[in-house]
Amino acid sequence: GAYAEIEYAWDDPAGSPTLCIAVPRRDSEDNDAEDGYDAAEKQRLDEDARRMFGDNPERAVLYLMQQGQLERDPVSVARWLLTTPGLPKARVGEYLSQSSDFNERVLQAYVAELAFADMDFEGALRYFLSLFRLPDEAQQIDRVLLQFAARFCEENAAVFANADQAYTLAYATLLLNTDAHHPLVKDKMSKASFVRNVLEAPAVVGDSDSEGPFPSREYLEQLYDRIVAQSLVPKIGGVRGEVSGNADEADVEVSNGATVAQLPLEQMLRSEERRVGKECRSR
């Protein structure tokens, strides 16, 4: 078939089931005769590109395009990123979060290939963040989470009133994850503070567009407990839960040198400035 089923599982104290995600199969083998490369040469080009990607993702993608192994369109690049084993996750995140028009379209195509229908919000976010490592900069994180929120809301219209709300909860959950698991954050966020800050965020209570479904207070409390019990991201370099996976102090910096512990959650969300513009209310 056109799609391969990828299984993803994590150690969940609550016993969550394994997730199955559909991603496109690569069809480059069907085009061997057309581009003049035999299978061995294609394998060599692919290996060269993977090594190159670890040093310079942009150069690796351009190399494959020049060799005729990638179409010069965002969908082809997104599928290569999704289906090529061994790509450094930090470099994938770096490439997807760049601000150029082409990279942003690759990010949109990448997220569009993911199947979130009927998935729990937390499970979808955990799966999404397992595919790559988020970069350090807040603007780059924004770009990635905005696309996640739009896609999740598109496939789960009954969960949030709009994609701003999905973005708000995704960002808040990421900040909670850093707060709970980064060793440099000593003054941990309480459950009551997390729930209050989410429910009082502008995207949740700001205007008439906010009216509609939103996860309950009980769900937010349970979400807090699960994130505190288990980091959103795997253990990397001896540190659990950091935004970027690095173990230095810069990881916990989120904006203008301030740390998660220093900035109130409602200030970090600033959802009125980050409108996704995608209505997700059930029609």
Side-chain angles (χ1 to χ4, degrees), residues 12-85:
D12 187 345
S16 295
T18 297
L19 301 177
C20 293
I21 307 299
V23 298
R25 293 184 185 276
R26 298 181 67 187
D27 57 3
S28 59
E29 294 82 357
D30 299 333
N31 301 319
D32 287 354
E34 298 178 9
D35 58 23
Y37 292 108
D38 60 23
E41 182 66 10
K42 280 179 172 289
Q43 182 177 355
R44 184 190 67 78
L45 291 173
D46 195 56
E47 290 174 353
D48 288 346
R50 279 186 285 176
R51 284 194 297 268
M52 197 180 300
F53 193 87
D55 294 325
N56 189 323
E58 301 280 355
R59 182 184 171 199
V61 170
L62 180 60
Y63 171 76
L64 286 174
M65 289 178 177
Q66 291 172 337
Q67 299 297 323
Q69 301 306 294
L70 268 183
E71 298 293 330
R72 295 176 181 268
D73 72 87
V75 173
S76 295
V77 177
R79 290 178 176 178
W80 183 77
L81 293 174
L82 272 168
T83 59
T84 301

Side-chain angles (χ1 to χ4, degrees), residues 199-258:
L199 293 179
E200 293 179 358
V204 180
V205 298
D207 52 43
S208 59
D209 289 338
S210 305
E211 297 175 359
F214 189 79
S216 67
R217 176 181 294 273
E218 180 182 9
Y219 178 86
L220 295 177
E221 291 175 346
Q222 294 172 352
L223 177 63
Y224 176 95
D225 290 337
R226 289 192 297 268
I227 297 302
V228 170
Q230 184 185 8
S231 173
L232 275 174
V233 295
K235 185 175 183 180
I236 302 173
V239 179
R240 293 186 65 90
E242 62 274 19
V243 169
S244 67
N246 302 319
D248 55 40
E249 189 167 0
D251 294 339
V252 75
E253 291 180 348
V254 289
S255 178
N256 299 321

Side-chain angles (χ1 to χ4, degrees), residues 5 21 33-34 54 59 75 82-83 102 105-106 137 140 145 152 155-156 163 171 188 197 234 245-246 248-249 264 270:
E5 195 170 69
I21 307 299
E34 298 178 9
R59 182 184 171 199
V75 173
L82 272 168
T83 59
F102 186 79
R105 287 188 289 141
V106 171
E137 296 182 12
Q140 293 177 306
L145 290 187
F152 180 85
E155 295 209 319
N156 297 277
Y171 204 97
K188 303 298 186 183
N197 289 333
N246 302 319
D248 55 40
E249 189 167 0
R270 297 195 303 273

